Structures are given as structure tokens and as C-alpha cells.
Amino acid sequence: MDNLSDTLKKLKITAVDKTEDSLEGCLDCLLQALAQNNTETSEKIQASGILQLFASLLTPQSSCKAKVANIIAEVAKNEFMRIPCVDAGLISPLVQLLNSKDQEVLLQTGRALGNICYDSHEGRSAVDQAGGAQIVIDHLRSLCSITDPANEKLLTVFCGMLMNYSNENDSLQAQLINMGVIPTLVKLLGIHCQNAALTEMCLVAFGNLAELESSKEQFASTNIAEELVKLFKKQIEHDKREMIFEVLAPLAENDAIKLQLVEAGLVECLLEIVQQKVDSDKEDDITELKTGSDLMVLLLLGDESMQKLFEGGKGSVFQRVLSWIPSNNHQLQLAGALAIANFARNDANCIHMVDNGIVEKLMDLLDRHVEDGNVTVQHAALSALRNLAIPVINKAKMLSAGVTEAVLKFLKSEMPPVQFKLLGTLRMLIDAQEAAEQLGKNVKLVERLVEWCEAKDHAGVMGESNRLLSALIRHSKSKDVIKTIVQSGGIKHLVTMATSEHVIMQNEALVALALIAALELGTAEKDLESAKLVQILHRLLADERSAPEIKYNSMVLICALMGSECLHKEVQDLAFLDVVSKLRSHENKSVAQQASLTEQRLTVES
């Protein structure tokens, strides 16, 4: 280290005189010292103030510019040296050197800039201002097709520099995308797929850029899907496959790329992984099974890619996925159920699947998870059943297959995601009067619904519970169902639902309340009164923002409430006539007609 101090003193003099031989010797000494102890040597370099002199040794004319750039690259491996390199004014001359034709100069300059940018806002800013990124991208473009080892090393360094420059920085990533870096990197990957270091660098760069929404369109216009699948097929190491997965997952969120990946044969690779890893208990294999099956489900989220794999229910992929459901592996059961939920996104697919026994497979799966079951599997199987129940023709078939009984076993679940899907499935199934009546008289179900109507922490569960309560009344039109709901304390929730911010929910509540008033007003009047229904209706009618159907159904309900003495009195006290008479000139004909009828009724009854 004493030698180092001497070298630094000597370098200060020779850097000014530019005595070439002694300069080269001093620089070699520095590189040696850095190789032996980088941190300590870097500290001494910083303390000596020599960094400021390096800028003058980085000129295109300087014979030692490559060595100086190499020294800067070495010292910038230390976090504490990056800002001093920027402050010493080294970025601009380094960026100028990117215009050199000398391969060694380019290599060391790329390393120096890449290391200065690593995790350093100041470094990135300075390179950005000096216009370094565009020059590097131009180099990548022009050198892309040359496959000799020295060139591949330079390409790897340049890719690494761009990665350090833009890592976790959305605006710099967007800048690179606008400069057209994506097609260039995809081309690099295709040409240099035999070079492990360069391939790895491209994959990491893709992983960073693919997170940005604006990158997806550019990726979709390249043959990235084909290149990644080709690369994936060659990999046997877990770590390498994991790296490719990390790029595939964000890219596969784009529907166009989903289809390209399916057409490139990714699904077959994923199915093979599942087959190979399903019985293994090695941690890497379990991870790969999960990643592979999750990606498979993601590919099915695109309408075109899903339909291509469904192939009218005859597709080999669809058949393989079906075989996952009875498996003993929870991850495969989950992926299988989620895949079915994704296939069940149009009526034709749903009808085909129900006719071919998929409901029974899902019910068997749910049965295996009733006691201390896997919540994600429960949630996925219920999602699939809910989607299958959407086409009208499937409802009766699913009811007679015993789906409601299978679903009701999960009433005791304390998990909001399971509760939410359970409610959605039941709501989809009860269009038929008989089913609605049967469920509406189920006291345990109704009591649980009333309890969930108060789940303020889980808006989805709360909303679905209210909607199911209302649906039970609307579809059954049954006095017994209304009595069960009144006795369980459900009326106040239906009244609150009438004030929902969603018009569809408001409407469902008002129709259910009108049926209650028409069929069982005597039983419900006390609850309707204490829930302040009349005041709420007055507010809905007076509010100009209320939708026409809300005004219409509110007036129908007012008329129905007139049969109750206490509610009739409340209507009179609130001067409804004023509000209703204004609505006679409403632009909506149905509202105007109902306003005339309601006005007559209020006048006669007053």
C-alpha cells in the first residue's frame, strides 16, 4: 500500500505532463492494487483527489483511455465511489468514448458506465443527460449479427449497462422502449442463444422491461414468444427455466402474446413439466410445478388462446387439465379448477362441460376439501361452478346434480374469498322459483346471509349477501321465504341496499321490498318502519340523480306501503304529493305514468 501512495503521487504529476510510459506504468500499478484489494485501493484513490484528473485522460486522443476506463469500472464496483465518479465529471468523457471504434475501449467504457449506474440515481441521471443510452442501443443494433466471442462479450457488457441504467426506473425503461431496444434485444436472443452469459443478460433485461405496460405492444410485434419457447425447450437446469418463467409471466398478461405463446408450443412444454414434477417432493420441482401450472392458467385468461386450447371440448390440453382435478396434488387441483373457470367464459363452453360431467368432478373435489380444506382450492372450484351456472340451460341440470347441497357445506367457512364465491354460485343458480323457495326457507342459510350483510370489512361478501337475500324473494315470490327473512332480521339490510351506489343493487332491493309489501306487509311493517324505509323513498324520489327505474320502483313501493297504518301515516307526514306531482312531467314515460297513478293513490288515501 506504500507503493500505492507513491503511485498516486506520481500519477498526479504524469497525468498533467501526460508522460506516456510512466503514465501506463502507474495505471498498471493501480489496476494491480485494485485486483488485490478493491475497497481499500478505491478509498485511497478517492482520498488522493486523482479522480478529477481522469477526465483529461479519457479524451479520444489519449493512448491510455481504455486502462483509465477499466480503473473507473473497478472503483465503481463500490457503492461509495459512484457519486464521486459523477462529481469528478467522468460521465461526459466516458459517453464520448462510446463513439470509439476500438473494441477494448468500448468494452471498458461500457463496464465503467454500467457500474456507475448500478443502483445510483446520480449515475443514471448523468448518463441520461449525456445521451449514453441511445449510443449503446445503436451499437447493439449494428453489432447484433456478429457472433465472435469478443463481440459477444461486448454485447453482454452493453446489455448489462442498459440494465443497470434502467433497473426499477419506469421513466428510463420507457425511454429505452421508445428508443426501440426491445426488437433489438429479441434479435440478440435469437442470434446468440448459444451464449449463456448474453442470453442471461437478455432475459434479465426482458424481465425488467416486461413489467411496464407500454412494453407489451412492442414485445407482441416481435417473435419473442417463439424465441423464449425455443430457449425454454433447451433448458434442463431449474435456475435457467425459472429465469425464463420470470419473463413469460408478465408477458403472458398480454392477450396477443398469450396467443403467440400458445401457437409457439409453450402449453406442451408446461404439460410436460407438470407430468415430470407431479410426484416429486424436491423443493425445486414443487416450485416449477406451481410456476408451470399457474402460467398455464394465465394463458387461458385470453379469449382466443383459451378457445384455441378448448377445441370444442375435444382438445388434448383441455382433457389433460381435466385430469388434474381428481389428482392428489393440491397445486394441480387448484390449477385444474381455475382452468375450468377460465374455459367457462362463454355459454357454448359451459353447456358442453356441464353435459360432459364436469360438475360432478368439481363437486367431488369440493367434497375432499370440506373439513380443514385448502381454501384456494375451495375458492377455485366454487369459481368454476359459478361460471358454469351462468347459461340458463345449465341451471336446472346443476340443481338436479346437487350443486346447492355441495355448496351449502361451506356455509360455515370463515374465509371471505370462499364466502364470496359461495354466494355468487347460489345467486346464479336460483333463477328457478322452486330452487329460490327451497333455499329461502333454509333458516341456517338466511341467518348466515344476514350475518354477512354486516361484513363491513369485506364489501364483496356484504354486497353478494344482500343481492342473494333480494334474489330469494324476487325469484320465489313466496310468503314463507319472506317470513324466514323477516324473522332472521334481514329487512333492514334490504332497506339499506336500496341506498346502494350501484343502481342494479338499488333496483333489486326495491323490487324485493315491493314484493314484501304486497305479500307480507303485516309481518314486515315494524321492521320497515324502524329501518326508515319511507324517509329513504322520499329521498330517492327527491334526488334528481336517481335513475328513472329507481324513481319508478320507489313509487310502486310507496303505493304498496299504503296498506299499513303506521307507514301510511309516515307517507302523509312527509308531503310525498309535492315530490310525486313534479315527476308527472318526467322525460321518462313510465316514470311520468307511475307518478300520475301514485298521485291519485296518495290523494284518495289522504
Side-chain angles (χ1 to χ4, degrees):
M1 281 296 158
D2 290 344
N3 279 356
L4 178 60
S5 303
D6 293 343
T7 301
L8 289 168
K9 281 177 195 161
K10 197 171 172 188
L11 189 56
K12 271 190 170 175
I13 299 159
T14 50
V16 177
D17 299 350
K18 296 199 171 56
T19 327
E20 284 195 12
D21 290 350
S22 3
L23 199 52
E24 292 278 349
C26 291
L27 295 172
D28 286 339
C29 247
L30 273 191
L31 282 167
Q32 244 174 331
L34 284 162
Q36 282 164 8
N37 188 334
N38 191 315
T39 309
E40 202 176 323
T41 306
S42 296
E43 282 169 350
K44 296 228 169 180
I45 288 173
Q46 188 188 2
S48 73
I50 199 85
L51 276 180
Q52 280 74 3
L53 298 176
F54 280 169
S56 65
L57 301 177
L58 289 170
T59 59
Q61 299 76 31
S62 166
S63 60
C64 56
K65 51 188 175 284
K67 269 186 191 158
V68 176
N70 188 359
I71 291 168
I72 296 168
E74 289 301 318
V75 300
K77 286 177 178 175
N78 302 287
E79 190 183 346
F80 66 86
M81 289 300 287
R82 288 171 201 147
I83 293 177
C85 283
V86 176
D87 292 344
L90 300 180
I91 301 298
S92 185
L94 281 169
V95 168
Q96 288 309 308
L97 285 184
L98 287 172
N99 296 307
S100 170
K101 297 279 183 280
D102 183 313
Q103 202 161 34
E104 180 63 15
V105 171
L106 289 174
L107 184 77
Q108 299 304 345
T109 304
R111 285 183 63 235
L113 289 169
N115 290 352
I116 292 170
C117 285
Y118 184 77
D119 226 359
S120 163
H121 169 70
E122 291 77 7
R124 290 169 181 179
S125 265
V127 173
D128 178 23
Q129 281 162 17
Q134 185 67 64
I135 305 172
V136 171
I137 291 174
D138 292 343
H139 276 307
L140 287 176
R141 234 173 249 139
S142 61
L143 301 170
C144 186
S145 307
I146 306 166
T147 54
D148 68 81
N151 188 62
E152 289 193 323
K153 191 177 176 188
L154 179 58
L155 290 170
T156 307
V157 164
F158 278 160
C159 283
M161 184 234 140
L162 289 180
M163 205 175 66
N164 288 353
Y165 171 71
S166 64
N167 189 31
E168 291 182 355
N169 184 313
D170 286 0
S171 66
L172 292 180
Q173 285 176 354
Q175 178 196 76
L176 294 183
I177 291 164
N178 291 337
M179 289 175 177
V181 77
I182 288 173
T184 306
L185 289 173
V186 174
K187 196 173 168 193
L188 268 182
L189 183 69
I191 295 170
H192 303 274
C193 57
Q194 303 303 327
N195 184 303
L198 185 47
T199 298
E200 205 165 300
M201 209 53 95
C202 285
L203 288 173
V204 177
F206 290 147
N208 287 347
L209 296 169
E211 296 292 340
L212 224 63
E213 208 40 55
S214 59
S215 73
K216 307 277 202 307
E217 252 173 67
Q218 273 210 27
F219 274 119
S221 66
T222 69
N223 62 336
I224 182 83
E226 203 182 311
E227 294 296 354
L228 288 174
V229 173
K230 210 189 313 175
L231 192 64
F232 192 82
K233 285 176 179 170
K234 286 184 203 159
Q235 302 306 328
I236 39 177
E237 289 173 55
H238 167 77
D239 291 350
K240 294 274 162 58
R241 291 221 281 224
E242 203 57 36
M243 247 181 135
I244 300 171
F245 272 139
E246 279 171 19
V247 180
L248 287 169
L251 285 180
E253 286 167 10
N254 175 279
D255 282 359
I257 300 175
K258 281 186 184 79
L259 187 60
Q260 291 168 9
L261 289 168
V262 167
E263 286 170 344
L266 179 61
V267 171
E268 289 70 16
C269 298
L270 298 176
L271 289 172
E272 203 175 309
I273 284 177
V274 168
Q275 205 168 348
Q276 287 167 2
K277 313 291 179 186
V278 67
D279 297 319
S280 170
D281 50 10
K282 280 203 259 168
E283 201 174 322
D284 280 357
D285 290 347
I286 293 167
T287 305
E288 215 164 306
L289 177 76
K290 177 175 170 24
T291 314
S293 52
D294 284 350
L295 186 51
M296 180 79 198
V297 172
L298 182 57
L299 291 175
L300 293 172
L301 276 172
D303 288 339
E304 280 187 83
S305 50
M306 177 272 288
Q307 215 48 49
K308 192 175 176 64
L309 295 170
F310 189 66
E311 289 183 70
K314 306 276 189 295
S316 61
V317 173
F318 173 64
Q319 297 302 331
R320 285 279 282 282
V321 166
L322 276 189
S323 73
W324 294 355
I325 292 175
S327 142
N328 289 320
N329 182 302
H330 281 185
Q331 174 57 35
L332 277 197
Q333 293 171 358
L334 169 65
L338 286 172
I340 297 304
N342 285 346
F343 280 125
R345 286 211 316 281
N346 63 50
D347 283 7
N349 290 7
C350 289
I351 292 164
H352 177 90
M353 286 193 277
V354 169
D355 288 348
N356 284 275
I358 191 68
V359 169
E360 288 70 17
K361 282 189 170 69
L362 290 166
M363 290 194 330
D364 289 345
L365 177 59
L366 277 174
D367 245 8
R368 294 162 70 183
H369 288 277
V370 174
E371 298 305 325
D372 304 321
N374 182 304
V375 173
T376 51
V377 175
Q378 293 170 359
H379 179 259
L382 288 167
S383 295
L385 286 171
R386 181 199 173 279
N387 288 3
L388 290 167
I390 292 171
V392 176
I393 195 170
N394 281 355
K395 297 182 197 289
K397 293 174 187 171
M398 289 175 72
L399 287 167
S400 60
V403 171
T404 47
E405 292 77 4
V407 169
L408 286 171
K409 289 176 187 171
F410 294 91
L411 259 188
K412 55 183 182 289
S413 171
E414 292 303 330
M415 305 306 290
V418 174
Q419 295 166 353
F420 180 69
K421 288 297 175 186
L422 172 152
L423 292 164
T425 308
L426 290 176
R427 192 164 63 78
M428 283 300 151
L429 283 170
I430 59 159
D431 279 10
Q433 190 167 358
E434 195 183 330
E437 190 161 358
Q438 196 186 344
L439 281 174
K441 289 191 286 194
N442 180 329
V443 177
K444 271 189 181 161
L445 169 65
V446 173
E447 283 177 348
R448 196 70 162 129
L449 291 182
V450 170
E451 184 188 328
W452 286 341
C453 282
E454 291 172 3
K456 293 199 166 44
D457 293 344
H458 303 285
V461 172
M462 195 163 87
E464 277 293 338
S465 303
N466 277 303
R467 293 190 76 185
L468 184 52
L469 266 187
S470 154
L472 290 170
I473 294 169
R474 287 182 294 112
H475 294 305
S476 71
K477 301 180 177 62
S478 151
K479 291 185 166 209
D480 289 338
V481 169
I482 293 170
K483 282 176 186 166
T484 308
I485 289 172
V486 172
Q487 281 154 12
S488 304
I491 296 296
K492 62 181 178 189
H493 297 299
L494 290 169
V495 174
T496 305
M497 184 181 167
T499 64
S500 163
E501 57 192 27
H502 304 290
V503 173
I504 190 164
M505 285 176 69
Q506 277 187 295
N507 219 20
E508 287 170 0
L510 291 169
V511 172
L513 288 165
L515 282 164
I516 293 170
L519 298 169
E520 274 297 322
L521 186 55
T523 314
E525 67 178 345
K526 282 206 164 46
D527 287 356
L528 294 170
E529 186 183 7
S530 60
K532 305 214 173 343
L533 173 63
V534 172
Q535 288 88 325
I536 285 168
L537 292 173
H538 189 274
R539 214 161 57 231
L540 289 174
L541 288 171
D543 189 344
E544 285 175 12
R545 291 164 304 176
S546 294
E549 59 268 40
I550 301 304
K551 291 188 184 294
Y552 178 87
N553 283 322
S554 296
M555 289 187 283
V556 169
L557 183 47
I558 284 293
C559 295
L561 295 177
M562 301 303 271
S564 153
E565 203 176 315
C566 58
L567 295 171
H568 183 178
K569 185 174 183 321
E570 283 193 7
V571 171
Q572 283 180 317
D573 292 348
L574 269 175
F576 264 85
L577 265 172
D578 298 351
V579 186
V580 171
S581 58
K582 282 180 190 161
L583 292 174
R584 279 191 334 203
S585 54
H586 196 278
E587 58 188 3
N588 182 296
K589 277 199 182 124
S590 302
V591 172
Q593 279 175 332
Q594 187 57 43
S596 295
L597 292 170
T598 308
E599 189 181 31
Q600 286 168 21
R601 183 80 195 268
L602 289 170
T603 312
V604 169
E605 301 276 350
S606 59

